[in-house]
Amino acid sequence: MARNKFDIDESLETPFNIRHFRRALVYIKRQKKPMIIAFVLSALSAGIALSAPLIMQHVVDVTIPAKNAQALIGWSLLMLATIVVSVILATIRSRMMTRVGQDIIFDIRSDLFKHLQELPFQYYDDRPQGKILIRVVNYVNSVSDVLSNGIINLILEILNLLFIAIFMFAVDVKLSFVILGGLPVFLGIILLIKTKQRRAWQAVSNKSSNLNAYTQESISGIRVTQIFNREAHNEGTFSRLSTNYRNAWMRTMYLNFLIPFSVDNLATIVTTSLYFVGLLALGPEEVTFGVILAMSSYAARFWQPILNISNLYNSFINAVAYLERIFETLDEPVTVNDAPNARELPPIKGKVTFEDVTFAYDPGLNILENLSFDVKAGESIALVGPTGAGKTTVVNLISRFYNITGGKIRIDGHDLSEIKLKSLRSQMGIMLQDSFIFSGTIMDNIRYGRLDATDEEVIAAAKTVCADDFIREFEKGYMTEVNERGSKLSQGQRQLISFARTLLANPRILILDEATSSIDAQTERLLQKGLNELLKGRTSFIIAHRLSTVKNCDKIMYVSDKGIAESGSHNELIMRRGRYYKLYSAQKMQA
């Protein structure tokens, strides 16, 4: 799919509408109390600050001509007090809103992460990890300030404009209309560029996502890069993506800077017009110098909130592009989930039945078609066959990591589509091909699937899979810290730890997907002894390319041609001299 490439821009499935921003208000409502307090503090700060021009007018027109030094000192102290109180209130408000902004970030990011935990494998199959990660981290950071300070500041700046207009008209009506004369021109500029701005910020979002996806992919594959001397080529790709991001950012900035540029020039023109009208057109008989001085101060104050609102508008346009991506992720359907009437799966024995199961990752391209088989409780089943035939798909469907396209899968007669996922997977032990190791201690990694396990149970599981010896060779033993993906461990060691993690869950159905592929032959023989004991009484599905490891399974299924081509015990399939026989003979000759 196009969206799964780092150099392809993502397209939004749904256009932005005001409903998205209303959804964002849910997070704002959770912080309603501190935001109201911050709003009141800001309003008081702004109101006190607006009294300064009136004080200045009175001093120029009355106090100074009267040569009243004592009154001048009093008015000066009052003006100083207004500045100090205004700054104190603004500081308190700023600290409160910093906390509110971080709380909003926490809430949005928590909702995103929780939803990502529930999304099916298909979602992650279709997208680079970097394009998912940037939504949880960067995009949430980008919208938090708009959803906290931005909302309050917008309301305050509008009220500020209203208060300034009231003060202006109280001082002089004619000069107030001169100041308001530039407003229609400014609104026209906003309407002219608003669509271009939104598209520009969407482009920035796309290029940022592409760059993040490639960076994440490059870091994950750095060993392969160095093995094949791809450093120079990768640097070129990174440079191209970085250039695309820079160009998109610069185009956006050109549009953004049009607004403050327009405000600055309009403010200059209005102020010049104010002096022209006040001093030349009306004359000193109608307008005193103190009035002109006060009105010029209000003119500067009037255009400052307009500039602030324009900046907030830019931030809003930016946030809109990111909110679209955030809500697109939150709206991604959890297709593999519990049905409305889903019930708990009782303790199972482990009988597995496939009834005419059909499955496709992509519509129209079936991997399995009308697959049917029965596995008795406690049987060990080996799935063999060519690469890409659907072996891993079969065990993924038993675990219900994907929804089947047609048919039914039953465990002990219970239809998987009618039972709760947690009750199903809690009774299964699954070891996939990717032996993922989390950052933390070896003990934590083994205990990952069963947090209530004791240290003794963890060690017992490690001994069963022959991991205990190499773990104890580390200086800190089971408390040894390992990095993400287990970079300090060999592939075989990572696989044994994953094996122990799976076995510790004590499952009724055990799935091993190439569980011994990275283990040496000697360790595998030792491991097999423990496995034989572990598999007793449990239903197990074992995928292995080395057929020597599955000879003793109760049944071997050869997966091919979108189904089971042949099935039986090892001896039965050898006697048939079919596909399994040919595969086994070929491996035996190579050995």
Side-chain angles (χ1 to χ4, degrees):
M1 297 178 65
R3 75 170 94 181
N4 198 32
K5 298 181 66 178
F6 63 80
D7 56 349
I8 299 295
D9 291 343
E10 294 179 290
S11 60
L12 289 170
E13 277 73 6
T14 56
F16 177 82
N17 57 55
I18 196 63
R19 179 178 59 85
H20 289 140
F21 201 74
R22 285 200 215 100
R23 287 177 62 180
L25 294 178
V26 171
Y27 298 100
I28 296 172
K29 289 179 180 177
R30 296 176 187 174
Q31 308 297 327
K32 182 169 61 176
K33 184 177 178 180
M35 290 184 76
I36 290 174
I37 295 173
F39 174 77
V40 171
L41 293 176
S42 298
L44 287 173
S45 175
I48 292 171
L50 283 174
S51 63
L54 290 179
I55 296 174
M56 183 170 60
Q57 178 198 350
H58 182 81
V59 168
V60 171
D61 286 344
V62 178
T63 307
I64 292 177
K67 299 181 180 181
N68 189 338
Q70 187 174 359
L72 181 61
I73 294 172
W75 286 114
S76 299
L77 291 174
L78 180 60
M79 180 170 282
L80 178 63
T82 62
I83 295 171
V84 171
V85 172
S86 179
V87 169
I88 291 174
L89 294 177
T91 302
I92 297 172
R93 176 259 191 189
S94 178
R95 291 183 177 180
M96 290 184 65
M97 291 312 300
T98 299
R99 180 176 292 276
V100 167
Q102 288 302 309
D103 287 343
I104 289 175
I105 286 179
F106 178 84
D107 289 344
I108 297 177
R109 189 168 290 148
S110 296
D111 287 350
L112 265 175
F113 186 78
K114 179 182 178 182
H115 190 64
L116 288 171
Q117 298 293 294
E118 298 172 352
L119 289 174
F121 282 10
Q122 189 75 52
Y123 177 81
Y124 298 96
D125 293 341
D126 291 345
R127 292 164 176 81
Q129 295 178 15
K131 290 195 175 187
I132 299 172
L133 181 63
I134 196 172
R135 300 185 181 206
V136 180
V137 182
N138 301 51
Y139 291 178
V140 174
N141 287 343
S142 296
V143 303
S144 65
D145 193 56
V146 173
L147 297 182
S148 53
N149 279 310
I151 298 296
I152 287 183
N153 286 341
L154 179 63
I155 297 172
L156 281 172
E157 297 298 354
I158 292 173
L159 288 177
N160 201 14
L161 275 177
L162 181 61
F163 290 153
I164 292 171
I166 292 172
F167 276 89
M168 284 194 312
F169 278 95
V171 174
D172 191 280
V173 175
K174 293 178 181 178
L175 294 181
S176 296
F177 281 114
V178 173
I179 295 173
L180 294 176
L183 199 55
V185 178
F186 174 73
L187 294 176
I189 294 172
I190 291 289
L191 292 174
L192 188 65
I193 68 172
K194 68 172 185 176
T195 302
K196 292 181 179 180
Q197 276 189 300
R198 180 181 174 229
R199 289 174 181 170
W201 277 114
Q202 284 182 338
V204 169
S205 172
N206 282 329
K207 303 310 178 186
S208 174
S209 180
N210 293 345
L211 182 61
N212 195 74
Y214 185 72
T215 303
Q216 190 277 332
E217 179 183 286
S218 298
I219 292 172
S220 297
I222 191 64
R223 288 177 175 82
V224 179
T225 296
Q226 295 184 2
I227 288 170
F228 288 97
N229 295 316
R230 285 265 303 194
E231 295 91 338
H233 180 87
N234 288 4
E235 287 170 11
T237 302
F238 182 84
S239 178
R240 174 170 56 84
L241 293 173
S242 295
T243 300
N244 290 341
Y245 173 75
R246 181 188 62 190
N247 292 341
W249 177 265
M250 292 305 296
R251 284 192 295 269
T252 304
M253 289 301 102
Y254 291 149
L255 289 171
N256 277 11
F257 290 149
L258 279 176
I259 293 180
F261 174 79
S262 301
V263 170
D264 286 341
N265 282 279
L266 284 172
T268 301
I269 293 171
V270 165
T271 303
T272 303
S273 301
L274 181 70
Y275 287 124
F276 177 80
V277 173
L279 294 175
L280 300 178
L282 296 179
E285 297 82 10
E286 252 187 271
V287 181
T288 66
F289 181 70
V291 168
I292 292 178
L293 194 62
M295 291 300 290
S296 63
S297 177
Y298 280 127
R301 290 171 181 264
F302 179 81
W303 285 98
Q304 185 58 49
I306 289 180
L307 179 59
N308 293 340
I309 289 173
S310 67
N311 290 332
L312 287 170
Y313 174 78
N314 282 336
S315 300
F316 175 77
I317 294 296
N318 183 6
V320 164
Y322 294 138
L323 280 173
E324 289 171 316
R325 296 294 196 268
I326 292 170
F327 287 127
E328 182 192 37
T329 303
L330 287 173
D331 289 339
E332 192 69 32
V334 182
T335 53
V336 180
N337 56 1
D338 295 335
N341 57 346
R343 60 184 185 278
E344 294 285 336
L345 178 66
I348 60 175
K349 297 179 179 179
K351 180 182 177 181
V352 178
T353 304
F354 273 53
E355 301 176 0
D356 293 320
V357 171
T358 297
F359 175 75
Y361 290 104
D362 296 312
L365 300 174
N366 290 340
I367 303 298
L368 303 172
E369 285 184 354
N370 303 317
L371 174 60
S372 297
F373 62 79
D374 280 299
V375 175
K376 297 177 183 177
E379 278 191 318
S380 58
I381 306 299
L383 298 174
V384 302
T387 301
K391 303 182 294 296
T392 299
T393 299
V394 171
V395 296
N396 280 341
L397 296 181
I398 296 172
S399 312
R400 208 186 156 208
F401 291 135
Y402 300 87
N403 288 326
I404 57 178
T405 308
K408 291 185 181 299
I409 301 176
R410 300 182 188 276
I411 292 183
D412 287 0
H414 300 280
D415 187 343
L416 294 193
S417 65
E418 298 176 355
I419 61 177
K420 294 183 177 180
L421 286 173
K422 287 185 178 179
S423 65
L424 166 66
R425 294 174 186 168
S426 65
Q427 301 189 63
M428 303 183 70
I430 306 165
M431 182 172 172
L432 302 175
Q433 288 174 315
D434 182 14
S435 302
F436 194 92
I437 299 297
F438 297 90
S439 57
T441 65
I442 293 176
M443 181 75 75
D444 291 337
N445 268 277
I446 297 176
R447 191 183 276 128
Y448 188 84
R450 187 181 155 205
L451 297 178
D452 61 345
T454 64
D455 291 354
E456 291 73 20
E457 289 173 320
V458 170
I459 294 171
K463 287 181 177 178
T464 301
V465 301
C466 305
D468 182 70
D469 289 341
F470 86 79
I471 292 174
R472 291 189 183 277
E473 290 178 0
F474 291 116
E475 183 179 352
K476 295 184 179 180
Y478 284 85
M479 302 312 294
T480 299
E481 293 283 340
V482 291
N483 296 334
E484 180 186 344
R485 305 192 72 88
S487 59
K488 293 182 179 179
L489 303 170
S490 71
Q491 178 63 28
Q493 289 172 333
R494 292 199 297 270
Q495 208 154 20
L496 288 176
I497 290 174
S498 297
F499 220 141
R501 179 167 59 201
T502 301
L503 303 187
L504 182 62
N506 194 26
R508 297 307 307 161
I509 296 178
L510 183 64
I511 293 174
L512 305 176
D513 190 346
E514 290 293 338
T516 60
S517 61
S518 299
I519 299 173
D520 62 85
Q522 181 179 357
T523 303
E524 184 180 3
R525 284 192 293 272
L526 294 172
L527 176 61
Q528 197 65 45
K529 296 178 182 179
L531 279 179
N532 290 338
E533 290 297 319
L534 182 74
L535 297 179
K536 288 181 180 178
R538 289 184 173 86
T539 304
S540 58
F541 291 85
I542 304 171
I543 298 175
H545 285 102
R546 286 188 293 193
L547 302 183
S548 58
T549 63
V550 298
K551 288 172 57 177
N552 296 326
C553 288
D554 296 320
K555 187 185 294 184
I556 299 173
M557 295 181 180
Y558 190 98
V559 182
S560 182
D561 301 329
K562 303 179 182 180
I564 305 298
E566 55 185 21
S567 175
S569 67
H570 172 76
N571 292 332
E572 290 172 347
L573 294 177
I574 293 295
M575 292 292 291
R576 292 182 194 173
R577 305 179 75 83
R579 300 188 187 189
Y580 177 79
Y581 170 78
K582 293 178 182 178
L583 184 62
Y584 182 77
S585 300
Q587 285 194 9
K588 194 173 182 181
M589 289 178 63
Q590 292 173 359

